[in-house]
Amino acid sequence: MIRIACALLALGCVEPTAVKPTPDAPAVMSEEGPASTFAIDASHRTVYVRFAGLQDDGREPIHVLIRRMFKSADAVSAERLIVDLRAVSGADTRLIVPLLRGIMARDRFLRNGALYVVVGPASYSQVQSTASLLARYAKPIFVERLQWSL
């Protein structure tokens, strides 16, 4: 945990602390639009989260979505986490901090076969940084997918 904190400090990353109120509506998976979202399959104790940008267009801030996703995952005792990074572009590191903190705080996502990271042929920049840090501190299985599919 100390090593991850040092790595995040070295990157100059800090999780935002200002939180805008958000509706309590459940997340719904959709391939339409640029919104990041998540879905939970309680019967298989699996969480799927798709990041599609940092949602600076008045939607729920990314760190709030991640916090809400982990809270929902904890509620169903999720054992697997699938992180889809195919639609993320740009060099902003705001995704890395809350995602790594959430994963590192849950030993069940650090085991072999518990964390999957989906990347695509256009994955670069922020996605590479996120994937590299996940590979260093967790034991993800990387999957390359060319099309959106669940």
Side-chain angles (χ1 to χ4, degrees), residues 4-140:
I4 188 72
C6 291
L8 295 174
L9 184 61
L11 288 171
C13 301
V14 219
E15 183 177 354
T17 54
V19 177
K20 293 191 287 187
T22 58
D24 290 335
V28 175
M29 290 301 299
S30 168
E31 293 183 16
E32 299 174 8
S36 295
T37 188
F38 71 92
I40 296 180
D41 181 349
S43 64
H44 291 100
R45 294 171 44 181
T46 301
V47 179
Y48 174 86
V49 59
R50 184 189 74 188
F51 294 106
L54 297 173
Q55 304 180 217
D56 285 333
D57 57 358
R59 295 184 183 162
E60 178 179 49
I62 200 70
H63 70 279
V64 175
L65 173 92
I66 292 170
R67 188 177 303 131
R68 192 165 55 86
M69 181 267 302
F70 279 119
K71 183 177 179 181
S72 297
D74 292 342
V76 298
S77 301
E79 294 291 325
R80 269 183 304 281
L81 175 62
I82 302 168
V83 179
D84 190 338
L85 299 173
R86 290 176 290 172
V88 178
S89 62
D92 198 320
T93 58
R94 288 180 282 173
L95 170 63
I96 296 172
V97 176
L99 182 62
L100 279 176
R101 280 186 180 167
I103 292 170
M104 297 299 294
R106 292 159 180 86
D107 290 336
R108 63 187 185 268
F109 294 138
L110 299 176
R111 293 176 297 139
N112 286 328
L115 176 62
Y116 295 83
V117 179
V118 183
V119 295
S123 298
Y124 67 97
S125 188
Q126 174 193 354
V127 172
Q128 290 177 347
S129 299
T130 304
S132 295
L133 285 170
L134 286 172
R136 184 171 188 168
Y137 297 105
K139 297 175 183 171

